[in-house]
Amino acid sequence: MNLFTQQFPNSNNFFLMAGPCAVESEEMAFHIAERVSVICRRLGINYIFKGSYRKANRTRLDSFTGIGDERALEILQKVGKSFSVPTVTDIHAANEADMAAAYVDVLQIPAFLCRQTDILVAAAKTGKVVNVKKGQFLSPDAMQFAVDKIRQSGNDQVILTDRGTTFGYQDLVVDYRSFPIMKAMGVPAVMDCTHSLQQPNQTSGVTGGNPAMIETIARAAIAVGADGLFIETHPDPKNAKSDGANMLHLDALEPLLEKLVVLRRAVNEIGS
């Protein structure tokens, strides 16, 4: 299946990967998916539901990691079928690729693992779309090697997502030159509007964030020609079990997307 030619008819608009950081429950996943899918249909935005079935990269041992792999993956599959949307989830090791691919449409490679050849190859060989997060420690040019590994493994369905670059010890910055550089590789380039605002390595062991800047990051990404946006959203970010500090409140998503659709039209008129 080629996600972008068979399931994404609104090619003149950006696409959206959105959902909770982690799958917390079926009720929560369905609540978010229903709200976002209705908004995206109205605005002509192609939508991919996002949810991590397990959080492997946690700062503290007592941090929430998931509700169980099989249960979370079953919820993702059920969301996809119920709302007729593709789904995306992270994998953390090569032996997880086939397992996750049985339930979702897009396999996501976390930023810290974007150079791990065995994971990239295993994801590619499933035949699913592979979304690779750009490492916080890499230049956008270096992502060509991740793209090459996937293509040389027989899979041409690649997405690259920028999630900011390490700046000092507890902050990230976004270099918008990444988008023309990564798009020149012949792949869709996505802006992760929420993880790029993380404030990692806090002394509390809980990652901070700056969600007030999500709109700024998103608007700039659309202005420079990003093909898609990645936004983690939750109806109650303060009580989310993972990454609540940088998630967008679900109620704020629709007005943000309305502005971004207008901006995308303007970009299309002048050319990106």
Side-chain angles (χ1 to χ4, degrees), residues 11-153:
S11 58
N12 289 328
N13 208 350
F14 59 89
F15 64 91
L16 176 69
M17 289 187 273
C21 177
V23 177
E24 299 177 10
S25 68
E26 182 174 316
E27 180 182 12
M28 178 68 70
F30 269 63
H31 175 64
I32 295 171
E34 182 175 26
R35 285 278 302 276
V36 181
S37 60
V38 168
I39 294 167
C40 287
R41 280 196 300 272
R42 183 176 72 81
L43 295 176
I45 298 170
N46 294 308
Y47 175 43
I48 304 173
F49 178 82
K50 183 270 167 186
S52 295
Y53 73 90
R54 174 159 40 91
K55 299 302 295 182
N57 177 23
R58 312 302 291 145
T59 304
R60 297 186 347 194
L61 189 60
D62 61 353
S63 297
F64 172 82
T65 58
I67 61 174
D69 293 357
E70 187 174 358
R71 178 60 181 146
L73 286 167
E74 287 174 346
I75 290 171
L76 286 167
Q77 185 179 59
K78 193 172 179 180
V79 165
K81 290 180 177 178
S82 298
F83 298 100
S84 299
V85 296
T87 54
V88 56
T89 198
D90 313 79
I91 61 171
H92 317 92
N95 62 6
E96 296 178 17
D98 285 336
M99 174 184 69
Y103 295 90
V104 301
D105 304 285
V106 183
L107 298 179
Q108 183 166 283
I109 311 302
F112 284 126
L113 301 175
C114 69
R115 296 182 73 244
Q116 297 299 108
T117 301
D118 57 344
I119 299 178
L120 292 168
V121 171
K125 288 185 175 179
T126 66
K128 299 289 183 173
V129 178
V130 183
N131 178 34
V132 188
K133 292 283 194 77
K134 184 185 80 64
Q136 302 93 319
F137 45 86
L138 288 179
S139 69
D141 307 79
M143 293 305 292
Q144 180 68 64
F145 299 107
V147 173
D148 290 345
K149 289 175 183 178
I150 295 168
R151 286 177 171 162
Q152 290 165 12
S153 299

Side-chain angles (χ1 to χ4, degrees), residues 170 201-206:
Q170 294 173 321
N201 305 317
Q202 300 296 308
T203 55
S204 64
V206 178

